Amino acid sequence: MSPKVTVGGSLPDIERCCDWLRCCGGGEPRPRTVWLGHPEKRDQRYPRNVINNQKYNFFTFLPGVLFNQFKYFFNLYFLLLACSQFVPDMRLGALYTYWVPLGFVLAVTIIREAVEEIRCYLRDKEVNSQVYSRLTARGTMKVKSANIQVGDLIIVEKNQRDQRSCFLRTDQLDGETDWKLRLPVACTQRLPTAADLLQIRSYIYAEEPNIDIHNFVGTFTREDSDPPVSESLSIENALWAGTVVASGEASPKVGQPGRAAGELHLSGLLSASRCSLRVNLDMGKIVYSWVIRRDSKIPGTVVRSSTIPEQLGRISYLLTDKTGTLTQNEMVFKRLHLGTVAYGLDSMDEVQSHIFSIYTQQSQDPPAQKGPTLTTKVRRTMSSRVHEAVKAIALCHNVTPVYESNGVTDQAEAEKQYEDSCRVYQASSPDEVALVQWTESVGLTLVGRDQSSMQLRTPGDQILNFTILQIFPFTYESKRMGIIVRDESTGEITFYMKGADVVMAGIVRYNDWLEEECGNMAREGLRVLVVAKKSLAEEQYQDFEARYVQAKLSVHDRSLKVATVIESLEMEMELLCLTGVEDQLQADVRPTLEILRNAGIKVWMLTGDKLETATCTAKNAHLVTRNQDIHVFRLVTNRGEAHLELNAFRRKHDCALVISGDSLEVCLKYYEYEFMELACQCPAVVCCRCAPTQKAQIVRLLQERTGKLTCAVGDGGNDVSMIQESDCGVGVEGKEGKQAALASDFSITQFKHLGRLLMVHGRNSYKRSAALSQFVIHRSLCISTMQAVFSSVFYFASVPLYQGFLIIGVSLGHLLPSSPSPLLTWNGRNKGECDRGGGLRRGAGGRVSSQQRGLRGGHRPLPTWTFSACPGSTIMYGALLLFESEFVHIVAISFTSLILTELLMVALTIQTWHWLMTVAELLSLACYIASLVFLHEFIDVYFIATLSFLWKVSVITLVSCLPLYILKYLRRRFSPPSYSKLTS
């Protein structure tokens, strides 16, 4: 085990640092000079090394929550209405009739926000409280992550071999689960102990902060040596903090029923029970979230935003990442192509035979023949070509074999003996691991590697030693990686390179098969790499090395100078082979996408992969059906080309679109409206080579252009901006870390759980919220009708029917438990979706149609709402008719009838009873009975206990419910719901 000493805080969160510097008056970010082990020598102010995902802090919590509540007009309207009651001339009734409901709603909202903030704070505290070892003059000291300062020397320990290098994963930054090799500063490795780092005078010059996580320019300088020693620093020497690039801050999301309810309240009809609807909706959302977390069919699902569960049932566009979300991010080697011959999985034994024949030197000639035949020559030539290709694949990579103790063999002994059972490959890409594992399967095994050497084992157990002279890592700009090695047995120096076909085509010698075969393999869904080599003379390499070292020491334009030197070698290279690996699909991706597509949800796949690979994955996942055409939007670079291509695309119908990120950027620049109009008509859209910022931009454009709800799902840090921009963000906890899951509204463990989350829980949450709104609106209309009839009796005098705490009780107390949504609601259209245990299940056949997703009951026409107010007038006229001589008790009569009517209507609406609904009905009735003790000022208890009162109120209640029951029966008789047709 070897401790790795890093400069803590010298490479902080880039984006946060940039924002902090601007906010604190620091102007534009500047280069930094950091003294090792001496934080007090820093010449700039830096932000603290803390992670903060909270929306508020202690001081901004209450103002922030209140602002987010009252920034909506309908909330502000009722606040102003309540404030107006402080003016005597404008007062209507007691103050508490306005402020108690408003205060109750705000209290529920504040408590909910506080709980979510506390949970977020605890998650951040867990990260910020991680303990590290800091190197000081008095030895090592434990320090929390939040207390690390710029210039601190931090010891990072890991169970690794002592080979002066380490690996890290950047999954929290770019979504890649691969291992990145990082190297120490060479001159510090010559110090006897780590404590000697504090005795030398050294500092690091680092470039200004920026959002590019794939490049870094710096210089390490030691002043106390004679002469001073300077060494260049690059991305290979940097360990970034686990941050997210350009994620931004998530804005508060509000569910559609909540907004719609607010708009309805502005009509003035529902102002009496508006705090009641808000409270019931909020309580309902809490219950929905609880049901989602408790669903055993989607284990591990977490609800991080309890304000928008019903939004899941109204999604029109689903935007999904590819790698790690639709696919497993596990690469399998599928194809080796040598130009004239290709080897697949069924012919890998031939490759193994070629490698075996090369290293065992066994003649393939028959014993009776005296000389080699044509077949033998062809065999030997093919063996040499296969051997050169396999050897290049086995050497050109940054994979390192790591030997771990298996409980029987000692770790050092296992490494010494190259035990296969103890070996684990670590690399910067799953592609490279797949390639090295394949070379092992055909006979050439990577058994050892450090910073300067590499060892291969042949089929005859011979160890081949190679010295690593130079490594040129893969970058997103170069799209290739290279390595220069010297064969210790022959002294030959060889430059190997592999990369994407678009860049390698201009590097290798002329050939007539590269472009065609790359296209064929990509159409099969394979990720293609082109492998080439070039032999170098000793003098040629020495000249290159001198120029390369000089370029790396440059402070200005270092990347350009280094690239120029490397490009001097990248000419006329020998093309060896093409390799193809495939990323496996996640479980049940196809049926999940089929369910979503049948439900009317359009799926857009946004990925950073190349066009051919993304297209093939879309086909394999059935994102694009077999009978659908695919229009590949050709690469455009200017307005004219974009215009012509859009016209060509306009002539296509019912055609899926595949477009690259570069072409998309050009189209959005000149023809944003036209492009979005055409794209939204497509059954599916695939955007390849898509940057994280483009993903968020697409989500935003869909929301603006269509006005429909979007859902974004991803598993990596590069999906965070898209997830937070969408109406419903879903994170998948996978190999790419938890950054996407932590930043999402809902997190799942597998993509297949998305179907149930949207089609079952989302649909039911939306339907129940709509049903709840209907009940509260119905109650409000009844109260308004009762008030109108009551006022007409007194010649339309402004005398309220219910005063003081009575109206508050109607809104918040008596009917709160009987509201269907906060517990479990199953109306007629929910039948068949709840099993005996109370769990949720899909409709018939496991399919959900677009008609099922809609809520016809949520958009009733005005005559229906007017007719639903009949119980209110029935109650009042019935009271006038039956209690003509006792009209003084009209409050007790109408109030009791209203309570019983609403409870009876809830009971008549429910088709599938649950024990919680029974408890809710009884609890609501008990609340009314218990409240009679406190409402004696308005209700005469002795009067309502008489037999005459009981039978007359019962008659009024039954008569008030009869018209709606008849209407419901006729509707079910002549216009039955879809589920009854399916079940019959």
Side-chain angles (χ1 to χ4, degrees), residues 8-220:
S10 62
L11 307 174
D13 178 334
I14 302 170
E15 182 187 7
R16 187 173 59 200
C17 182
C18 294
D19 295 338
W20 185 89
L21 287 173
R22 293 187 181 98
C23 292
C24 295
E28 291 299 320
R30 308 188 304 273
R32 295 150 289 169
T33 299
V34 180
W35 288 86
L36 268 64
H38 298 282
E40 68 279 0
K41 293 186 178 181
R42 59 182 182 269
D43 57 353
Q44 299 179 28
R45 293 180 58 196
Y46 298 100
R48 295 186 61 206
N49 188 46
V50 294
I51 300 296
N52 185 6
N53 290 308
Q54 298 172 246
K55 293 186 292 186
Y56 314 101
N57 58 35
F58 179 80
F59 299 101
T60 62
F61 173 73
L62 189 59
V65 173
L66 294 178
F67 172 77
N68 286 327
Q69 289 299 308
F70 294 119
K71 69 180 181 182
Y72 299 106
F73 176 76
F74 59 86
N75 281 350
L76 183 61
Y77 166 78
F78 285 100
L79 175 64
L80 296 176
L81 182 64
C83 292
S84 68
Q85 300 306 299
F86 288 108
V87 181
D89 294 339
M90 301 179 64
R91 181 175 299 176
L92 297 173
L95 283 175
Y96 58 79
T97 59
Y98 295 88
W99 285 100
V100 170
L102 183 61
F104 185 81
V105 171
L106 291 178
V108 172
T109 302
I110 291 173
I111 292 174
R112 186 192 65 223
E113 290 288 336
V115 170
E116 293 185 357
E117 281 293 290
I118 291 174
R119 290 176 179 173
C120 187
Y121 166 76
L122 293 177
R123 291 196 300 265
D124 292 342
K125 183 179 179 181
E126 181 181 358
V127 176
N128 294 325
S129 299
Q130 291 181 356
V131 178
Y132 293 87
S133 296
R134 180 171 60 190
L135 189 63
T136 66
R138 293 173 292 180
T140 58
M141 297 179 59
K142 298 298 182 181
V143 59
K144 292 183 178 180
S145 175
N147 296 329
I148 295 176
Q149 301 183 50
V150 174
D152 284 343
L153 293 178
I154 305 300
I155 299 178
V156 182
E157 298 182 355
K158 184 68 177 177
N159 248 347
Q160 295 178 337
R161 71 260 178 262
D162 184 9
Q163 292 182 343
R164 298 181 179 178
S165 62
C166 64
F167 290 86
L168 67 131
R169 298 178 67 171
T170 58
D171 50 3
Q172 300 294 330
L173 290 92
D174 54 12
E176 297 183 0
T177 61
D178 47 336
W179 292 94
K180 302 288 194 303
L181 179 65
R182 291 297 183 259
L183 306 175
V185 180
C187 63
T188 61
Q189 298 301 298
R190 294 189 287 269
L191 298 174
T193 63
D196 292 325
L197 286 170
L198 297 171
Q199 306 302 323
I200 64 176
R201 286 179 51 82
S202 58
Y203 62 87
I204 290 176
Y205 168 84
E207 64 178 347
E208 65 277 3
N210 58 76
I211 63 173
D212 187 1
I213 64 171
H214 304 294
N215 293 288
F216 173 70
V217 176
T219 304
F220 173 84

Side-chain angles (χ1 to χ4, degrees), residues 6 20 69 220 234 293 391 487 595 647 710 940 972:
T6 65
W20 185 89
Q69 289 299 308
F220 173 84
S234 65
R293 289 193 297 264
K391 181 180 177 182
D487 191 336
I595 290 175
N647 287 337
T710 60
D940 187 351
R972 291 179 59 85

